[in-house]
Amino acid sequence: MKLLEERIRKDGVVKEGNILKVDSFLNHQMDVALFNAMGEEWKRLFADRPINKILTIEASGIAIAAIVAQHFNVPVVFAKKAQSVNLDGEMYTTKIESFTHKRTYDVIVSKKFLSSEDHILVIDDFLANGCAVDGLIDLIQSAGATVEGVGIAIEKGFQTGGKVLRDKGIRVESLAIIESMDASTGEIVFREQ
Ligand code: G4P
């Protein structure tokens, strides 16, 4: 998606350790008009899929998913990062080990909001090693629901997350895929798509 690539080039900041800061339009200050255009694009890309719910994970995914959901006219459920899991059977739970954040989270979704009837579009801001998306897919599978696809704003194509998901047959639509980036020059190379 050219609009997003141009915005990353203009306002993204490449940090050491292969981290891209996009705080000025995505992760802290948020450009809602851009999110809206992203929603329009995912709606076009997933037009053939019977999506009835969007699933994301807190924190940064929520705002994007909420704007995107207006294009699909479906509810958004966000998985919560829990301090401790109360194993009372009312929640689907999984563990997400984030390489990026160097921590492990318990992640939960109430059984009230995911069922075997659901056809889910997963939305998130970044795809790096894919631990967050793997966790969300685990929750969807626990509920017996169907993963219709994964929509990612920015995929770091030099990390393994996207390839692993696509190799499993999951449809991943990333609106910008970064092939490489250089913290010393600030240069960002996008994958042609
Ligand atoms: P991982 O397996 O390497 O941990 O990566 P994953 O694809 O699961 O992404 C994990 C989290 O790291 C995501 O946050 C994502 O937003 C963030 N992240 C990964 N790479 C970058 C990057 O280059 N820049 C920025 N700004 N964030 C990155 P999350 O779990 O959805 O939570 P939150 O950070 O939104 O609260």
Side-chain angles (χ1 to χ4, degrees), residues 17-23 26-27 56-61 81 96-102 105 124-134 156 158-159 161 181:
N18 276 329
I19 293 293
L20 177 69
K21 278 272 179 198
V22 285
D23 281 16
L26 201 116
N27 287 136
T56 188
I57 180 165
E58 63 181 355
S60 306
K81 292 174 182 166
I96 293 181
E97 197 183 331
S98 170
F99 292 106
T100 304
H101 294 307
K102 309 226 168 7
Y105 307 94
D124 208 0
D125 55 345
F126 272 90
L127 180 61
N129 294 300
C131 296
V133 171
D134 283 348
K156 297 198 289 185
F158 52 87
Q159 290 180 251
M181 55 189 196

Side-chain angles (χ1 to χ4, degrees), residues 160-174:
T160 56
K163 179 170 173 13
V164 170
L165 290 170
R166 291 183 184 102
D167 285 351
K168 284 186 197 160
I170 293 170
R171 176 146 161 216
V172 181
E173 297 287 359
S174 300

Side-chain angles (χ1 to χ4, degrees), residues 89-108:
E90 290 176 6
M91 303 279 178
Y92 297 113
T93 71
T94 193
K95 278 197 191 305
I96 293 181
E97 197 183 331
S98 170
F99 292 106
T100 304
H101 294 307
K102 309 226 168 7
R103 317 181 23 184
T104 301
Y105 307 94
D106 286 306
V107 176
I108 59 170

